[in-house]
């Protein structure tokens, strides 16, 4: 088992880099719930602070950071609406980054998966699981405040429409959206790059400035992460 030799800051607030004695380098975040590992990731204590390894093969946000994300709108204090929270892998790292000053509202429609997500949220006071279908934001509008960041990872053919609809309800003017696009969920017959362009155009037609489109391979094949700013 490799040992941690160094931990350093990255260009992004609350995102760190850990180096191991076998030469490997991984992302990590400060553990908001010390002692608890969410998906089997390793925990390390350095000068009294516990860090969690962030596996970019399990998290598209991690992959986007390693693939050259220019700007991370998720920082300490950010309020995030997260669509497609699943069992909480990436939401838990987002919860670490925003710390107790921020909030993460995680929407997930699979009851089985939400049960696992609830166990993760138990130890994280800034993480709020919501069992709901992201197609119907009116059902959770009373539970969610206006947010700085809308994070979308639902792998649905109409994901971009769902994202735009949620932005209208909850995203502040000048807020950011991060949307993971799974090309194969949208159209298996088209080239992934063609699909990314189609979805980006929909965002542009709906008051978003698209800042960056990052292809996530090798972390996620045929997936891209779009970073966009909402003009309201
Ligand atoms: N974002 C998670 C992470 O990085 O840890 C992984 C998300 S997984 C790729 C997609 C999730 O979106 C699944 O758990 C699925 O049940 C959920 N999902 C798909 N359509 C949804 C919808 N309409 N409303 C809410 N959740 C949805």
């Amino acid at each position: 088992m490799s040992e941690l030799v160094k931990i350093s800051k990255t260009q992004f607030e609350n995102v760190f880099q850990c180096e191991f004695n076998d030469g490997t380098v991984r992302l990590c975040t400060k553990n908001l719930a010390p002692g608890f590992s969410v998906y089997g990731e390793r925990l390390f204590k350095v000068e009294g602070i516990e860090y969690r390894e962030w596996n970019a093969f399990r998290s598209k946000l991690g992959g986007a950071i390693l693939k050259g994300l220019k700007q991370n709108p998720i920082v300490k204090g950010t309020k995030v609406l997260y669509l497609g929270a699943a069992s909480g892998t990436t939401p838990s790292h987002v919860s670490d980054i925003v710390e107790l000053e921020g909030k993460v509202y995680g929407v997930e429609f699979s009851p089985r998966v939400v049960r696992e997500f609830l166990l993760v949220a138990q130890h994280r006071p800034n993480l709020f699981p919501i069992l709901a279908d992201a197609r119907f934001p009116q059902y959770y509008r009373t539970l969610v405040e206006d947010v700085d960041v809308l994070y979308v990872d639902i792998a649905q053919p109409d994901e971009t429409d769902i994202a735009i609809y949620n932005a209208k309800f909850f995203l502040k003017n000048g807020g950011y959206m991060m949307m993971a696009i799974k090309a194969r969920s949208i159209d298996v017959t088209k080239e992934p790059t063609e699909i990314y362009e189609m979805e980006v155009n929909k965002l542009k037609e709906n008051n978003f400035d698209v800042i960056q489109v990052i292809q996530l391979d090798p972390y996620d094949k045929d997936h891209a992460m779009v970073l966009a700013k909402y003009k309201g």
Side-chain angles (χ1 to χ4, degrees):
M1 179 68 105
S2 55
E3 272 176 39
L4 182 75
V5 287
K6 189 178 165 198
I7 205 140
S8 44
K9 290 184 176 177
T10 66
Q11 58 177 307
F12 301 129
E13 189 179 16
N14 279 344
V15 178
F16 301 85
Q17 182 174 282
C18 29
E19 292 176 41
F20 298 91
N21 62 354
D22 61 1
T24 53
V25 178
R26 298 279 157 78
L27 291 176
C28 50
T29 54
K30 264 192 244 169
N31 195 355
L32 191 74
F36 292 98
S37 168
V38 173
Y39 55 103
E41 75 283 9
R42 292 181 288 180
L43 308 178
F44 313 98
K45 212 160 197 171
V46 179
E47 292 170 1
I49 298 173
E50 190 172 275
Y51 295 85
R52 305 165 55 219
E53 185 174 3
W54 187 356
N55 185 344
F57 287 94
R58 302 276 303 270
S59 167
K60 295 174 197 95
L61 180 56
I65 290 173
L66 292 180
K67 287 292 305 280
L69 181 70
K70 287 186 201 156
Q71 180 187 354
N72 185 7
I74 302 173
V75 294
K76 181 175 173 178
T78 305
K79 295 192 175 86
V80 182
L81 173 59
Y82 192 121
L83 308 181
S87 52
T89 299
T90 302
S92 67
H93 287 291
V94 174
S95 148
D96 285 347
I97 295 171
V98 304
E99 299 191 47
L100 292 174
E101 289 79 357
K103 286 183 184 163
V104 185
Y105 299 97
V107 175
E108 170 56 54
F109 76 173
S110 158
R112 184 189 61 77
V113 171
V114 165
R115 276 200 287 276
E116 289 169 31
F117 186 31
L118 281 169
L119 297 177
V120 174
Q122 252 177 12
H123 311 288
R124 296 177 169 272
N126 64 1
L127 191 52
F128 303 95
I130 297 171
L131 173 63
D133 188 331
R135 286 196 173 86
F136 306 109
Q138 56 275 29
Y139 291 138
Y140 47 89
R141 72 181 308 167
T142 54
L143 302 175
V144 177
E145 64 197 297
D146 284 356
V147 295
D148 309 296
V149 173
L150 174 61
Y151 186 98
V152 186
D153 182 17
I154 53 177
Q156 293 285 352
D158 55 344
E159 178 183 58
T160 307
D161 299 323
I162 296 172
I164 292 166
Y165 193 40
N166 275 269
K168 287 183 182 152
F169 272 80
F170 304 109
L171 189 55
K172 292 178 185 168
N173 289 348
Y176 290 87
M177 179 153 82
M178 299 188 86
M179 183 173 74
I181 305 175
K182 182 178 180 181
R184 301 279 166 224
S185 297
I186 295 177
D187 190 338
V188 282
T189 67
K190 289 199 169 75
E191 276 301 309
T193 46
E194 208 181 318
I195 292 169
Y196 306 150
E197 202 182 320
M198 267 166 37
E199 303 311 300
V200 159
N201 286 338
K202 277 189 210 164
L203 291 180
K204 288 181 180 165
E205 285 158 15
N206 283 278
N207 287 337
F208 283 93
D209 278 332
V210 175
I211 300 169
Q212 198 179 6
V213 181
I214 305 167
Q215 300 204 22
L216 295 178
D217 63 293
Y219 301 108
D220 274 285
K221 193 173 175 292
D222 296 339
H223 282 70
M225 178 69 79
V226 178
L227 171 65
K229 188 168 182 167
Y230 192 44
K231 293 183 283 184

